[in-house]
Amino acid sequence: MASAMTAYIAVVLTTTILLFTVTHSSTLGVEYVSRLLQVQDRERAPSSVQISAARAVLDRLIPSHSPSFDFQIITKEQCGGVSCFSISNHPSSNVQGAPEILIRGVTGVELLSGVHWYLKNLCGAHISWDKTGGSQLSSVPKPGSLPRIQDDGLLIQRPVPWNYYQNAVTSSYTFAWWDWKRWEKEIDWMALQGINMPLAFTGQEAIWQKVFQQKFNISSSDLDDFFGGPAFLAWSRMANLHGWGGPLPQSWLDQQLVMQKKILDRMYELGMTPVLPAFSGNVPAALKNVYPSAKITRLGNWFTVDSNPKWCCTYLLDATDPLFIEIGKAFISQQVKEYGQSSHIYNCDTFDENTPPTDDPNYISSLAAAIFKGMQSGDDEAVWLMQGWLFAYDPYWRPPQMQALLHAVPIGKMIVLDLFAEVKPIWITSDQFYGVPYIWCMLHNFAGNVEMYGVLDSLGSGPVDARISNNSTMVGVGMSMEGIEQNPVVYDLMSEMAFQHKKINVKTWLDSYSSRRYGKFVPSIQEAWNILYHTLYNCTDGAYDKNRDVIVAFPDVDPSFLSRKSFLNKKNHLKDTDEAFDKPHLWYSTSEVIHALQLFIEGGNELSESNTFRYDLVDLTRQALAKYANDLFVDVIEAYESKYSDGVVFLSEKFLELVDDMDMLLGCHEGFLLGPWLESSKQIAINREQEKQYEWNARTQITMWFDNTEEEASLLRDYGNKYWSGLLRDYYGPRAAIYLKYLKESLAKGDGFNLKSWRKEWIKLTNEWQDGKYVYPIKSEGDALNTSRWLFDKYLRDSAIISDY
């Protein structure tokens, strides 16, 4: 085993030296933001603080090996004028008990990126989220026997300054219930992945409370109606809704502010440049009464079922009103006062899902200039960071409107996130955002849905294509997913692009991935990953991968809309305006993926003790069964349309049995449990009433999401769906059973399908489940390998030869 690992390390080292270059490159965009970079470098934490913080991360990651590494902070000048890390043999490495490896870096983040690079490429290790199997460090040799670096060492430079992380809604879909222990783990993970520009949105409601109450005469009760509940804060911040899931208890506000200070302190200690929120114009309704002459507009309905004013139609202060700058200044000033410092980058998305009332470029320009002035009034060095999602989905933003927005701010004072660049890059069609600096981002995930999906080839080449293009204004790479803790292979590759100067041969990269992830080379597993690469992780259809599988996003339509041709049409995966429901997304050969699963199971005996393998095995089995369930459901519908009652009964029972079996499968790994999401929501509460409120928030976000009536479901139902054990057994399964019951009744009575009764009954089920109190397990049970093998034999072995629809 030792000789095999040594040979593996030698191959990886040789490959890696070819992949990385020591010649840094720059872009026009980097020149434009050079002033900001200089200010951030000057204000960074002292070297001793960053080294101490990096050492603490290493102690938490692999304490047995911490003494084997020595850290030094160096200047950009020592790196050729850019951020970098270097890895070399320690001068005292021949002395017993002395450090073996010396890592130098510009910041604490670079030091830890160097640790990760070394462990990954020379020791065959893998670092991931705990929910996705955690870190594989068993392949790291014992202290005193770490692999030596050849020659004079390695120098790895960043091709662009920033590695951005998060989406404005990640705070709700993933972080909503985190305590400091979980936050600390995430910041460790960020640093090891080279992330140096994370969003820092926690606790901002406490800042707003102080600003609105102390400076603008808004009462506490007015703010109760303004803020959303804990699981819906992202959308109340973006002026999509108000009050839903609230009100926020004072204890929540106080807790989150304390948490934000801890988060920021740790980020600054590691040398990160966290992004703070800025004022976007979203104001409490009561501000109209305090300032009756202010230009305050009521926005339209955002996905409520009947334009219910209790939740919808928020208020937006016009950026050209003098009050806008006053509030913007007060908000940033209060943040700087509370936190003691700022990285000078502020996120503001006034126009995200809020289309301006006119397409006049002059009006747009005046709005944007005023928004920036509000930031600058509170921070002379302020830079506006804006999500570019609006340019990808809203047809309003044609070239004149885009240029009016982007050019209203001095060049170098705005950075745009090309949010969905791996699928729909805007930098190409906008002539590099018309000269404005931007960050190439991978969006990848919507709402934290569970789906094995990716576009690996795009990740391995897209950022490089953008950076080396003519007159490039790219200044960073980023990960802007809506939810994390899924598809670790995607995030492993994307994180690496922060240090890659050349395109990656993804096939070659994947050849080492499975060995790193599981700590062992297994031929059948390697073959399986080759299949997954050109199937699940090679989606090129341009579709948004919002999981709409039947189990987790049951179609609320008459069965006449559910023919096989329309339901499983591989050529059209997005819901058109004239379609009755969202179709499941299928972009690959299901038989090939089933074969990959068979290979996983064959190699499972060698890896059954690997937590990373068990996660992937459960996920792959789930993926194969989910698509099988889509097909099985259409079989039910075809039997119904043929008036074959016995067939409907038999196939319905088979479908519901499959849902229960999948629930059991998901219970075999802690990455697929409902319990942790619900229990973490209650742990933040300080009394029973808060427990009830927070758990309702947690349950509602993953089911109905928004408001409903007795006969009309939420327009956002199932948007936040999850393949979690407990949710399938107690919600998705019973919901499907109601629909199937009405199919059977329709045939028995000779009547049409009773769509109205179906809706009333499943909406009632949903509302009752949202108010439920059942406590779900937080620890996994069952044998993942044996369960997967049993389900493969029960459902899929014969399916490998069924043609794909």
Side-chain angles (χ1 to χ4, degrees):
M1 174 64 185
S3 59
M5 182 56 70
T6 301
Y8 163 74
I9 289 171
V11 170
V12 170
L13 179 57
T14 303
T15 303
T16 303
I17 292 173
L18 294 174
L19 287 175
F20 286 88
T21 88
V22 295
T23 303
H24 84 271
S25 57
S26 187
T27 66
L28 283 176
V30 175
E31 295 177 20
Y32 295 154
V33 298
S34 59
R35 163 70 183 176
L36 173 62
L37 292 170
Q38 292 169 5
V39 171
Q40 290 178 337
D41 289 342
R42 186 171 65 243
E43 297 178 352
R44 221 175 293 279
S47 297
S48 59
V49 172
Q50 295 188 61
I51 290 174
S52 178
R55 173 67 59 188
V57 174
L58 183 58
D59 288 342
R60 288 188 289 272
L61 175 70
I62 185 167
S64 58
H65 289 66
S66 184
S68 299
F69 293 87
D70 193 15
F71 292 150
Q72 288 182 9
I73 294 289
I74 55 179
T75 66
K76 283 185 177 178
E77 286 67 32
Q78 292 172 277
C79 287
V82 297
S83 290
C84 79
F85 62 82
S86 67
I87 307 175
S88 60
N89 300 314
H90 196 278
S92 304
S93 59
N94 293 325
V95 179
Q96 186 174 5
E100 300 172 71
I101 302 298
L102 174 62
I103 299 181
R104 299 180 176 94
V106 172
T107 71
V109 172
E110 269 71 35
L111 294 177
L112 291 166
S113 299
V115 169
H116 188 191
W117 192 96
Y118 178 85
L119 294 176
K120 180 177 184 176
N121 294 292
L122 277 81
C123 301
H126 173 76
I127 296 173
S128 184
W129 295 293
D130 285 354
K131 281 190 68 172
T132 59
S135 298
Q136 186 291 111
L137 300 171
S138 63
S139 61
V140 180
K142 294 180 180 180
S145 304
L146 292 180
R148 293 182 63 82
I149 303 296
Q150 297 177 3
D151 304 323
D152 296 327
L154 294 169
L155 175 69
I156 311 297
Q157 299 168 315
R158 287 188 188 268
V160 281
W162 287 307
N163 188 1
Y164 169 82
Y165 184 57
Q166 295 180 40
N167 185 294
V169 302
T170 319
S171 57
S172 290
Y173 281 129
T174 299
F175 307 152
W177 316 115
W178 281 7
D179 57 14
W180 171 242
K181 181 180 179 181
R182 181 62 187 87
W183 264 114
E184 184 174 58
K185 274 184 171 289
E186 190 69 10
I187 298 171
D188 289 357
W189 181 89
M190 291 182 203
L192 289 160
Q193 305 297 334
I195 292 162
N196 58 7
M197 185 195 277
L199 285 185
F201 275 16
T202 302
Q204 63 179 278
E205 283 69 30
I207 303 293
W208 278 120
Q209 183 186 51
K210 295 182 180 184
V211 169
F212 280 130
Q213 287 186 350
Q214 296 174 8
K215 299 182 183 300
F216 299 99
N217 299 315
I218 301 298
S219 70
S220 177
S221 61
D222 292 329
L223 292 177
D224 285 346
D225 180 60
F226 179 57
F227 298 137
F232 301 97
L233 287 175
W235 299 277
S236 66
R237 292 166 182 169
M238 293 190 292
N240 300 139
L241 54 83
H242 67 94
W244 181 250
L248 290 178
Q250 187 61 45
S251 61
W252 171 275
L253 298 170
D254 296 340
Q255 288 170 347
Q256 294 300 295
L257 183 57
V258 170
M259 185 71 71
Q260 171 75 335
K261 290 179 179 180
K262 287 185 177 181
I263 291 168
L264 289 174
D265 285 348
R266 181 60 54 80
M267 289 177 173
Y268 288 131
E269 288 168 1
L270 287 166
M272 294 181 182
T273 55
V275 178
L276 296 176
F279 178 51
S280 64
N282 182 28
V283 295
L287 197 71
K288 289 186 66 178
N289 300 326
V290 180
Y291 296 90
S293 62
K295 300 177 185 176
I296 299 176
T297 303
R298 190 171 191 185
L299 299 176
N301 181 34
W302 187 84
F303 291 113
T304 65
V305 294
D306 56 2
S307 299
N308 190 337
K310 191 174 181 180
W311 322 119
C312 91
C313 312
T314 55
Y315 291 87
L316 193 70
L317 175 63
D318 194 299
T320 61
D321 191 294
L323 186 60
F324 190 102
I325 294 174
E326 188 178 345
I327 295 176
K329 177 182 179 180
F331 182 52
I332 287 181
S333 298
Q334 187 66 36
Q335 289 186 90
V336 174
K337 177 183 176 181
E338 289 281 347
Y339 308 144
Q341 67 183 111
S342 165
S343 297
H344 310 294
I345 305 177
Y346 301 93
N347 171 252
C348 178
D349 295 307
T350 299
F351 308 108
D352 189 10
E353 302 197 26
N354 289 319
T355 303
T358 173
D359 62 0
D360 180 5
N362 292 326
Y363 174 76
I364 297 169
S365 182
S366 64
L367 283 180
I371 291 169
F372 177 67
K373 188 174 180 181
M375 297 179 200
Q376 202 171 37
S377 297
D379 182 346
D380 290 340
E381 300 291 349
V383 171
W384 179 359
L385 181 76
M386 181 180 71
Q387 289 192 148
W389 178 241
L390 67 169
F391 302 136
Y393 85 95
D394 190 343
Y396 169 91
W397 294 99
R398 302 180 300 280
Q401 288 72 32
M402 283 184 66
Q403 292 181 65
L405 172 57
L406 298 174
H407 291 169
V409 177
I411 294 293
K413 289 294 186 177
M414 175 184 278
I415 301 169
V416 182
L417 301 176
D418 198 353
L419 210 68
F420 199 20
E422 83 275 24
V423 173
K424 194 173 181 179
I426 304 300
W427 69 268
I428 297 174
T429 57
S430 65
D431 192 20
Q432 306 270 344
F433 288 92
Y434 303 107
V436 172
Y438 74 96
I439 295 175
W440 194 103
C441 290
M442 173 196 77
L443 178 53
H444 182 254
N445 178 271
F446 290 89
N449 294 165
V450 180
E451 175 96 277
M452 294 185 78
Y453 158 86
V455 195
L456 295 185
D457 284 340
S458 177
L459 304 185
S461 61
V464 177
D465 286 336
R467 179 175 51 79
I468 66 176
S469 62
N470 291 333
N471 300 317
S472 176
T473 54
M474 178 177 162
V475 295
V477 297
M479 296 182 285
S480 55
M481 64 286 121
E482 291 190 353
I484 63 169
E485 299 174 323
Q486 36 76 30
N487 288 289
V489 64
V490 172
Y491 295 86
D492 194 334
L493 177 59
M494 188 61 218
S495 295
E496 195 168 298
M497 297 309 296
F499 296 99
Q500 287 284 6
H501 291 251
K502 295 182 179 180
K503 296 180 182 180
I504 285 183
N505 182 318
V506 178
K507 173 63 170 61
T508 301
W509 185 88
L510 272 175
D511 284 343
S512 67
Y513 174 79
S514 66
S515 297
R516 287 192 294 104
R517 178 144 171 84
Y518 310 131
K520 185 178 182 180
F521 174 77
V522 178
S524 67
I525 302 298
Q526 184 65 64
E527 184 182 350
W529 269 104
N530 289 335
I531 295 172
L532 300 183
Y533 166 45
H534 69 254
T535 53
L536 296 177
Y537 293 109
N538 186 38
C539 181
T540 58
D541 62 13
Y544 298 8
D545 190 57
K546 299 173 183 175
N547 195 317
R548 310 313 292 174
D549 289 338
V550 171
I551 291 176
V552 295
F554 204 89
D556 176 27
V557 294
D558 187 277
S560 61
F561 288 98
L562 299 175
S563 69
R564 184 175 300 275
K565 183 177 181 180
S566 65
F567 193 68
L568 298 177
N569 180 3
K570 294 177 68 172
K571 295 182 179 179
N572 181 11
H573 310 298
L574 298 181
K575 180 179 177 181
D576 296 329
T577 55
D578 60 345
E579 291 185 322
F581 66 99
D582 290 327
K583 300 174 182 178
H585 188 189
L586 184 60
W587 64 97
Y588 58 86
S589 164
T590 55
S591 59
E592 286 189 77
V593 170
I594 290 172
H595 179 54
L597 173 59
Q598 186 174 17
L599 293 169
F600 253 74
I601 293 171
E602 289 174 3
N605 288 334
E606 296 188 57
L607 298 175
S608 60
E609 297 304 311
S610 165
N611 196 29
T612 48
F613 171 76
R614 290 196 300 272
Y615 175 88
D616 290 348
L617 175 64
V618 170
D619 203 16
L620 182 55
T621 309
R622 175 211 56 77
Q623 182 76 21
L625 290 173
K627 302 308 177 185
Y628 173 78
N630 292 340
D631 195 70
L632 179 58
F633 177 72
V634 177
D635 289 342
V636 176
I637 298 301
E638 288 186 336
Y640 171 79
E641 294 293 340
S642 300
K643 303 188 185 310
Y644 179 33
S645 298
D646 290 344
V648 171
V649 171
F650 172 77
L651 293 168
S652 294
E653 290 176 354
K654 187 175 181 180
F655 182 88
L656 295 176
E657 183 179 2
L658 171 59
V659 174
D660 284 342
D661 286 344
M662 288 181 68
D663 191 88
M664 179 176 60
L665 167 75
L666 296 170
C668 293
H669 196 281
E670 291 175 13
F672 301 98
L673 301 182
L674 169 63
W677 172 253
L678 299 183
E679 292 308 303
S680 62
S681 72
K682 292 185 284 186
Q683 289 173 7
I684 297 177
I686 63 172
N687 57 48
R688 185 68 190 100
E689 192 61 30
Q690 287 185 15
E691 280 190 16
K692 181 179 178 182
Q693 178 191 2
Y694 296 172
E695 185 173 4
W696 182 92
N697 269 254
R699 286 171 175 256
T700 298
Q701 189 205 86
I702 59 176
T703 52
M704 195 63 81
W705 206 107
F706 211 4
D707 69 327
N708 60 267
T709 65
E710 289 186 359
E711 298 182 0
E712 188 172 358
S714 164
L715 299 176
L716 292 174
R717 62 187 178 276
D718 294 326
Y719 186 87
N721 67 68
K722 304 289 189 293
Y723 274 104
W724 284 346
S725 178
L727 195 57
L728 273 72
R729 182 194 66 204
D730 291 347
Y731 178 66
Y732 293 141
R735 177 175 63 177
I738 296 170
Y739 193 92
L740 298 173
K741 178 187 71 174
Y742 282 105
L743 285 179
K744 289 179 280 189
E745 285 187 4
S746 171
L747 291 180
K749 295 179 180 179
D751 296 332
F753 182 81
N754 194 333
L755 187 63
K756 183 176 180 180
S757 294
W758 136 253
R759 282 178 177 161
K760 287 185 67 174
E761 193 168 340
W762 85 258
I763 289 172
K764 181 175 181 290
L765 166 77
T766 306
N767 293 337
E768 289 175 350
W769 190 85
Q770 289 170 177
D771 290 328
K773 301 296 178 289
Y774 183 83
V775 177
Y776 291 88
I778 60 173
K779 297 293 184 181
S780 60
E781 297 179 353
D783 185 308
L785 180 57
N786 285 333
T787 302
S788 179
R789 183 182 289 123
W790 173 65
L791 292 175
F792 179 86
D793 290 339
K794 182 175 182 179
Y795 293 108
L796 299 173
R797 183 171 294 279
D798 295 334
S799 298
I801 60 173
I802 295 176
S803 61
D804 299 306
Y805 294 99

